[in-house]
Amino acid sequence: MTRTLHQIKSEQTRERLLDAALGLMHTKGHGQVSVHEVARAAGMTAGAVQHHFTSKAALMLEVITRLIAQLEEHSDFWPPAHWHLQRRAAHFVQQAWATLYGQPRFTVAWAAYLAAREDDLMVAHIVERRGVLTASLHQRMAQSFPEMCHGPQAEARVQFVLSALRGMGLVAPFSPAAAMPAQLQVLSQYLQSFPSLET
């Protein structure tokens, strides 16, 4: 199906807005990113942002979707299954924290999600999009950690690991500097606790 010039321009505008939001999240740290700031950074009006994204939470959700997609493209993010389990666990936890969950943009995005929790349609949209992201992450986890992703409660174990990372990301700004490395070490040990599938 051939796209119209209007559709192409609309996609380009959307990409510019996402790039601007991501750039602001990198530079502003844990501060709030407003729709007006995103518009200004993209050289557009706030109306343009609202035309492409129904709310700030929708914009932040798309930014997180893009970040997760970028993880898929980074060949060094997911450890190969042939590595020793200890090496895989340490590598994954370190990369997940350094690349996504420990970054200021993660808390900015979640602040937008929480601000939208009274909007039933937005919550439904977030749940739907996060479901797709979680399924993708689960597939990659299964490739890197077949030991953990085998047998009963495999889905719950993956969710537990991701929930632990999300929780640490949210409390990190309010925690002592030494708290996160210790917790990440515990998470790495959890990933190492599953028996080998080799017989």
Side-chain angles (χ1 to χ4, degrees):
M1 181 177 169
T2 306
R3 294 179 301 163
T4 66
L5 182 59
H6 175 73
Q7 289 171 324
I8 292 170
K9 286 187 175 183
S10 179
E11 288 173 15
Q12 290 172 340
T13 299
R14 187 179 174 86
E15 288 300 307
R16 276 179 59 194
L17 291 168
L18 286 169
D19 286 342
L22 190 54
L24 285 169
M25 289 169 77
H26 276 299
T27 58
K28 287 202 67 171
H30 293 288
Q32 293 295 316
V33 175
S34 73
V35 167
H36 292 286
E37 287 174 308
V38 171
R40 197 166 38 250
M44 299 179 191
T45 65
V49 180
Q50 293 163 349
H51 174 74
H52 289 277
F53 302 97
T54 56
S55 68
K56 180 180 171 183
L59 174 62
M60 294 298 104
L61 180 62
E62 290 300 322
V63 170
I64 291 295
T65 300
R66 173 177 281 198
L67 291 171
I68 296 291
Q70 288 173 355
L71 297 185
E72 299 289 331
E73 297 167 6
H74 287 290
S75 59
D76 61 344
F77 181 84
W78 296 100
H82 69 267
W83 284 3
H84 186 274
L85 182 55
Q86 182 178 2
R87 181 181 177 195
R88 277 182 277 146
H91 177 89
F92 170 75
V93 169
Q94 178 184 4
Q95 289 292 316
W97 186 254
T99 309
L100 180 60
Y101 298 99
Q103 293 295 313
R105 61 183 178 258
F106 181 77
T107 54
V108 172
W110 271 91
Y113 294 173
L114 294 172
R117 67 186 178 277
E118 300 300 324
D119 182 339
D120 291 341
L121 289 176
M122 192 64 231
V123 168
H125 178 64
I126 291 172
V127 168
E128 178 187 350
R129 292 304 302 272
R130 286 193 65 243
V132 173
L133 291 175
T134 299
S136 174
L137 288 171
H138 182 92
Q139 182 180 13
R140 293 306 299 261
M141 289 287 283
Q143 292 170 359
S144 292
F145 298 97
E147 303 90 343
M148 183 184 73
C149 299
H150 180 76
Q153 297 188 314
E155 179 72 25
R157 288 192 291 269
V158 171
Q159 291 294 347
F160 175 74
V161 169
L162 297 176
S163 292
L165 286 165
R166 285 190 293 264
M168 284 186 272
L170 290 173
V171 302
F174 312 102
S175 302
M180 291 304 108
Q183 292 178 46
L184 291 167
Q185 180 62 35
V186 169
L187 184 59
S188 178
Q189 290 168 353
Y190 174 76
L191 287 168
Q192 297 171 46
S193 68
F194 297 95
S196 172
L197 295 178
E198 297 177 3
T199 53

